[in-house]
Amino acid sequence: MPRLFAPSQRWLFGRETDLAVFAGTALVSVALVAAAPWLGAVGDTPLWAWVLLVVCVDVAHVWSTVFRTYLDREELLRRPALYAIAPLAAYVTGVLAYLVSAGLFWRLFAYTALLHFVRQQYGWGALYDRKARTSDAERRLDAAALYAATLGPVVWWHANLPREFWWFVENDFLSGLPGWAGTLALWIHGGVLVAWAGFQATRVLRGEGLQVGKVLLVLATWGTWFGGIVLARDDFAFTVMNVLLHGVPYFALLFRYARGRNAEGGYGPWALLLRAGLPGFLLFLGALAFAEEFLWDRLVWHDRPLLFGDSGFVLAPDVLALVVPLLALPQATHYVLDAFIWKAGKDPALLGRLGWRAPVREGSPLGTAPASSVAMARPTD
């Protein structure tokens, strides 16, 4: 007999939280874009939206990784080489790229960020599948759907450059892909998603029902990537769609982890940051993000004097080759570390701290990307 919902639902954080951070975030993104004319946000992202979206969500979520890494002395001692080499390698690579040209640095950084964003959506889907103990065939189809939902619009974007927005800075993506390649990518992405939807329909008809959280994840991913790239007509729409679904679930992941680790007494004096609960957690991260953006604006961009003041000086190009990769280091380190820090097979205590008791395969990515950030310090204009 057909059954719409699976009798046993698997959630990552819990039903209410999952619905809020995935489906709710996507709906808020759509609502903000729809309300843009009334918010005075058509075209370039206005200052208030930049502070809310880029500083308080995008940049702040990058800094939240410190609760998994550098604020935990025991974790630092467990893998000292990783936490020393990751930022050093990221910085050296950034400096070398910038010395070749600033364009090469931003292009390398943009594609690294793009890969990180795509992999994060795949990672959430992989977690849902492992908790629900789905078949190998279903896992592969879910992965294909999430990759199609993200990469289809991205290939179309490359075939339709220039657009009214960029990832970090102008011309950071390679142009020259023929228009037909973008159209083909959308057709392929549509075909994969139709096949995935057909499989979900067969689950209902067989009486297995839908895993609601996973289905909403795929729909939210498709909606924000297709809407934020193919349908978007300005920087504000792209920024809203790009930032919220990436950053908000990651906040939920890190706050859940920090709360579990704090219960073990893992943060020492840093535990004070969590005594105020989620507001204290977010305020701390917001302060770090604002400080980072202050440095970006005063030393590099000089385009938000109303918020950060006017520094009145410009750094020489050879100095920028050292400063820009240094300011980008929190985000670059976040990209690198996220490939290592969420693997449950290498950290048996991780699942308990997250409250995820369901078995996860040895070595499987816990976040195979809950990685972190999109638009870094620079507004995507």
mmCIF file of all heavy atoms in Angstrom, residues 118-135:
data_model
loop_
_atom_site.group_PDB
_atom_site.id
_atom_site.type_symbol
_atom_site.label_atom_id
_atom_site.label_comp_id
_atom_site.label_asym_id
_atom_site.label_seq_id
_atom_site.Cartn_x
_atom_site.Cartn_y
_atom_site.Cartn_z
ATOM 1 N N VAL A 118 29.975 22.692 -3.251
ATOM 2 C CA VAL A 118 29.338 21.526 -3.862
ATOM 3 C C VAL A 118 29.468 20.314 -2.960
ATOM 4 O O VAL A 118 28.499 19.587 -2.700
ATOM 5 C CB VAL A 118 29.961 21.248 -5.243
ATOM 6 C CG1 VAL A 118 29.479 19.911 -5.800
ATOM 7 C CG2 VAL A 118 29.625 22.377 -6.219
ATOM 8 N N ARG A 119 30.658 20.084 -2.452
ATOM 9 C CA ARG A 119 30.905 18.918 -1.613
ATOM 10 C C ARG A 119 30.130 18.984 -0.303
ATOM 11 O O ARG A 119 29.760 17.954 0.265
ATOM 12 C CB ARG A 119 32.404 18.792 -1.336
ATOM 13 C CG ARG A 119 33.214 18.346 -2.539
ATOM 14 C CD ARG A 119 33.028 16.880 -2.809
ATOM 15 N NE ARG A 119 33.626 16.055 -1.760
ATOM 16 C CZ ARG A 119 33.448 14.751 -1.643
ATOM 17 N NH1 ARG A 119 32.668 14.106 -2.480
ATOM 18 N NH2 ARG A 119 34.041 14.077 -0.663
ATOM 19 N N GLN A 120 29.874 20.185 0.178
ATOM 20 C CA GLN A 120 29.119 20.277 1.425
ATOM 21 C C GLN A 120 27.707 19.741 1.245
ATOM 22 O O GLN A 120 27.197 19.007 2.094
ATOM 23 C CB GLN A 120 29.059 21.719 1.931
ATOM 24 C CG GLN A 120 28.190 21.864 3.170
ATOM 25 C CD GLN A 120 28.402 23.167 3.905
ATOM 26 O OE1 GLN A 120 29.526 23.535 4.209
ATOM 27 N NE2 GLN A 120 27.316 23.868 4.171
ATOM 28 N N GLN A 121 27.077 20.089 0.136
ATOM 29 C CA GLN A 121 25.717 19.596 -0.086
ATOM 30 C C GLN A 121 25.719 18.074 -0.235
ATOM 31 O O GLN A 121 24.829 17.389 0.270
ATOM 32 C CB GLN A 121 25.103 20.272 -1.311
ATOM 33 C CG GLN A 121 24.930 21.778 -1.158
ATOM 34 C CD GLN A 121 24.293 22.173 0.164
ATOM 35 O OE1 GLN A 121 24.931 22.727 1.043
ATOM 36 N NE2 GLN A 121 23.017 21.843 0.325
ATOM 37 N N TYR A 122 26.704 17.552 -0.929
ATOM 38 C CA TYR A 122 26.832 16.101 -1.025
ATOM 39 C C TYR A 122 27.014 15.487 0.359
ATOM 40 O O TYR A 122 26.446 14.433 0.674
ATOM 41 C CB TYR A 122 28.022 15.725 -1.919
ATOM 42 C CG TYR A 122 28.487 14.305 -1.681
ATOM 43 C CD1 TYR A 122 27.782 13.226 -2.197
ATOM 44 C CD2 TYR A 122 29.621 14.053 -0.907
ATOM 45 C CE1 TYR A 122 28.191 11.922 -1.948
ATOM 46 C CE2 TYR A 122 30.033 12.756 -0.656
ATOM 47 C CZ TYR A 122 29.318 11.697 -1.183
ATOM 48 O OH TYR A 122 29.721 10.409 -0.922
ATOM 49 N N GLY A 123 27.792 16.141 1.196
ATOM 50 C CA GLY A 123 28.067 15.613 2.530
ATOM 51 C C GLY A 123 26.821 15.495 3.383
ATOM 52 O O GLY A 123 26.627 14.497 4.074
ATOM 53 N N TRP A 124 25.964 16.515 3.337
ATOM 54 C CA TRP A 124 24.714 16.416 4.095
ATOM 55 C C TRP A 124 23.881 15.238 3.606
ATOM 56 O O TRP A 124 23.294 14.494 4.402
ATOM 57 C CB TRP A 124 23.897 17.703 3.959
ATOM 58 C CG TRP A 124 24.486 18.940 4.552
ATOM 59 C CD1 TRP A 124 24.746 20.112 3.892
ATOM 60 C CD2 TRP A 124 24.873 19.169 5.916
ATOM 61 N NE1 TRP A 124 25.270 21.044 4.755
ATOM 62 C CE2 TRP A 124 25.358 20.492 6.002
ATOM 63 C CE3 TRP A 124 24.871 18.383 7.065
ATOM 64 C CZ2 TRP A 124 25.820 21.043 7.195
ATOM 65 C CZ3 TRP A 124 25.336 18.925 8.254
ATOM 66 C CH2 TRP A 124 25.800 20.241 8.311
ATOM 67 N N GLY A 125 23.810 15.061 2.282
ATOM 68 C CA GLY A 125 23.044 13.949 1.740
ATOM 69 C C GLY A 125 23.620 12.608 2.139
ATOM 70 O O GLY A 125 22.878 11.659 2.446
ATOM 71 N N ALA A 126 24.953 12.496 2.153
ATOM 72 C CA ALA A 126 25.595 11.248 2.552
ATOM 73 C C ALA A 126 25.276 10.918 4.003
ATOM 74 O O ALA A 126 25.069 9.748 4.364
ATOM 75 C CB ALA A 126 27.110 11.356 2.345
ATOM 76 N N LEU A 127 25.202 11.919 4.838
ATOM 77 C CA LEU A 127 24.854 11.688 6.241
ATOM 78 C C LEU A 127 23.428 11.176 6.389
ATOM 79 O O LEU A 127 23.174 10.239 7.152
ATOM 80 C CB LEU A 127 25.016 12.990 7.034
ATOM 81 C CG LEU A 127 26.417 13.303 7.535
ATOM 82 C CD1 LEU A 127 26.435 14.657 8.200
ATOM 83 C CD2 LEU A 127 26.893 12.239 8.493
ATOM 84 N N TYR A 128 22.509 11.781 5.666
ATOM 85 C CA TYR A 128 21.124 11.306 5.716
ATOM 86 C C TYR A 128 21.041 9.838 5.287
ATOM 87 O O TYR A 128 20.359 9.023 5.916
ATOM 88 C CB TYR A 128 20.238 12.156 4.794
ATOM 89 C CG TYR A 128 19.619 13.365 5.462
ATOM 90 C CD1 TYR A 128 19.912 14.649 5.026
ATOM 91 C CD2 TYR A 128 18.710 13.213 6.510
ATOM 92 C CE1 TYR A 128 19.333 15.768 5.616
ATOM 93 C CE2 TYR A 128 18.125 14.325 7.113
ATOM 94 C CZ TYR A 128 18.440 15.589 6.660
ATOM 95 O OH TYR A 128 17.864 16.689 7.250
ATOM 96 N N ASP A 129 21.728 9.499 4.213
ATOM 97 C CA ASP A 129 21.666 8.130 3.710
ATOM 98 C C ASP A 129 22.261 7.125 4.689
ATOM 99 O O ASP A 129 21.734 6.026 4.864
ATOM 100 C CB ASP A 129 22.399 8.040 2.370
ATOM 101 C CG ASP A 129 21.552 8.535 1.212
ATOM 102 O OD1 ASP A 129 20.307 8.476 1.325
ATOM 103 O OD2 ASP A 129 22.111 8.982 0.205
ATOM 104 N N ARG A 130 23.346 7.505 5.333
ATOM 105 C CA ARG A 130 23.980 6.576 6.256
ATOM 106 C C ARG A 130 23.132 6.374 7.510
ATOM 107 O O ARG A 130 23.055 5.281 8.048
ATOM 108 C CB ARG A 130 25.383 7.061 6.603
ATOM 109 C CG ARG A 130 26.372 6.740 5.490
ATOM 110 C CD ARG A 130 27.638 7.564 5.590
ATOM 111 N NE ARG A 130 28.626 7.127 4.616
ATOM 112 C CZ ARG A 130 28.589 7.407 3.312
ATOM 113 N NH1 ARG A 130 27.579 8.120 2.836
ATOM 114 N NH2 ARG A 130 29.516 6.965 2.493
ATOM 115 N N LYS A 131 22.493 7.436 7.952
ATOM 116 C CA LYS A 131 21.631 7.291 9.125
ATOM 117 C C LYS A 131 20.381 6.482 8.794
ATOM 118 O O LYS A 131 19.840 5.768 9.651
ATOM 119 C CB LYS A 131 21.236 8.661 9.676
ATOM 120 C CG LYS A 131 22.418 9.440 10.245
ATOM 121 C CD LYS A 131 21.970 10.597 11.110
ATOM 122 C CE LYS A 131 21.481 10.125 12.459
ATOM 123 N NZ LYS A 131 21.205 11.226 13.387
ATOM 124 N N ALA A 132 19.916 6.574 7.557
ATOM 125 C CA ALA A 132 18.726 5.821 7.151
ATOM 126 C C ALA A 132 19.077 4.424 6.641
ATOM 127 O O ALA A 132 18.182 3.651 6.315
ATOM 128 C CB ALA A 132 17.964 6.581 6.072
ATOM 129 N N ARG A 133 20.383 4.111 6.536
ATOM 130 C CA ARG A 133 20.844 2.806 6.055
ATOM 131 C C ARG A 133 20.232 2.460 4.695
ATOM 132 O O ARG A 133 19.700 1.374 4.485
ATOM 133 C CB ARG A 133 20.520 1.706 7.061
ATOM 134 C CG ARG A 133 21.126 1.912 8.432
ATOM 135 C CD ARG A 133 20.826 0.745 9.343
ATOM 136 N NE ARG A 133 21.325 0.997 10.691
ATOM 137 C CZ ARG A 133 21.223 0.111 11.693
ATOM 138 N NH1 ARG A 133 20.662 -1.063 11.485
ATOM 139 N NH2 ARG A 133 21.689 0.398 12.891
ATOM 140 N N THR A 134 20.318 3.382 3.777
ATOM 141 C CA THR A 134 19.758 3.162 2.449
ATOM 142 C C THR A 134 20.673 2.267 1.635
ATOM 143 O O THR A 134 21.851 2.048 1.967
ATOM 144 C CB THR A 134 19.565 4.502 1.719
ATOM 145 O OG1 THR A 134 20.813 5.211 1.702
ATOM 146 C CG2 THR A 134 18.535 5.359 2.420
ATOM 147 N N SER A 135 20.157 1.748 0.519
ATOM 148 C CA SER A 135 20.923 0.852 -0.337
ATOM 149 C C SER A 135 22.007 1.621 -1.079
ATOM 150 O O SER A 135 21.957 2.850 -1.203
ATOM 151 C CB SER A 135 19.997 0.181 -1.347
ATOM 152 O OG SER A 135 19.472 1.147 -2.251
#
